[in-house]
Amino acid sequence: MVIHVKLCGPKPLVFDAEDVKQLRSQHRIVGTLIGTLPRLPLQNAFLGLPLQLLPEETALLVAKNLACMDAPWSYPNSKDERLRYRVFEYLWSREYYITSGLKFGGDFLVYLGDPMRFHSHFIVSAKDRNSPIAPLDVIAMGRLATNVKKTFVLVSPPENAADDNSTMDVFSIEWAGF
């Protein structure tokens, strides 16, 4: 069954509850519920439909012919977007659940199982291997991840790699706190 995704401005949204259930249970796509509940519209602790998808989730669903869009979808466009998408597809192909990692200073949070039942283990940042990283940033990544009981992971396509996402260079950063 094909998932129907509607664009509301730049935001890809899924409005059908069965589609949301299929995304999560069959495709490990989590998204974020952003709608209010009809019986409790003034609260914001529990949210309902629609489900907002990450751009990477949407691009993956379209690329795998798992979803159809109601409007033209053009992602990824920039070099950074292509890098993020390649890393997302690499992690997804390894059967991880993936959500946004912005609140932890990374690109993605990676879970070994459904985020409703599992704690995320990794904060992932997609990095171009030729982009410098300041030593203080490496320390900050390690300390931050350790304080929230996670491992910070840098993921980069190898030099001269094809666009097949079959291999990536993966480095983990953990703070030992001497």
Side-chain angles (χ1 to χ4, degrees):
M1 190 166 107
V2 175
I3 308 296
H4 297 283
V5 180
K6 298 183 184 297
L7 282 179
C8 184
K11 297 178 183 178
L13 303 174
V14 178
F15 286 88
D16 185 88
E18 286 301 314
D19 285 350
V20 171
K21 181 179 175 183
Q22 181 183 350
L23 283 171
R24 193 173 199 113
S25 64
Q26 294 177 19
H27 306 301
R28 298 179 322 282
I29 298 293
V30 180
T32 304
L33 292 169
I34 61 169
T36 61
L37 298 175
R39 293 179 191 235
L40 300 166
L42 299 179
Q43 61 84 36
N44 63 1
F46 302 102
L47 299 174
L49 295 174
L51 179 80
Q52 182 177 342
L53 298 174
L54 292 173
E56 295 82 9
E57 291 173 322
T58 307
L60 179 95
L61 290 169
V62 171
K64 303 283 184 195
N65 294 318
L66 299 171
C68 64
M69 305 288 294
D70 71 339
W73 175 253
S74 62
Y75 182 92
N77 292 318
S78 70
K79 182 180 176 184
D80 286 341
E81 288 175 349
R82 284 189 292 278
L83 175 63
R84 283 174 48 96
Y85 176 73
R86 287 185 67 189
V87 169
F88 182 89
E89 186 178 31
Y90 172 79
L91 294 168
W92 183 84
S93 71
R94 272 132 188 90
E95 312 242 334
Y96 292 117
Y97 283 79
I98 307 156
T99 63
S100 173
L102 286 178
K103 65 182 168 184
F104 291 100
D107 293 316
F108 308 110
L109 291 180
V110 175
Y111 300 78
L112 301 179
D114 191 318
M116 295 290 275
R117 297 179 29 207
F118 289 84
H119 175 76
S120 66
H121 283 233
F122 308 108
I123 302 168
V124 174
S125 183
K127 294 288 185 192
D128 183 330
R129 66 171 31 274
N130 297 317
S131 297
I133 301 173
L136 286 177
D137 289 343
V138 174
I139 292 168
M141 291 172 195
R143 291 183 72 182
L144 168 80
T146 299
N147 282 327
V148 293
K149 296 181 174 52
K150 298 177 190 348
T151 300
F152 206 99
V153 178
L154 302 174
V155 182
S156 177
E159 279 190 273
N160 304 321
D163 286 340
D164 64 358
N165 298 331
S166 61
T167 62
M168 293 278 174
D169 290 336
V170 180
F171 303 94
S172 65
I173 301 170
E174 295 185 66
W175 183 251
F178 299 116

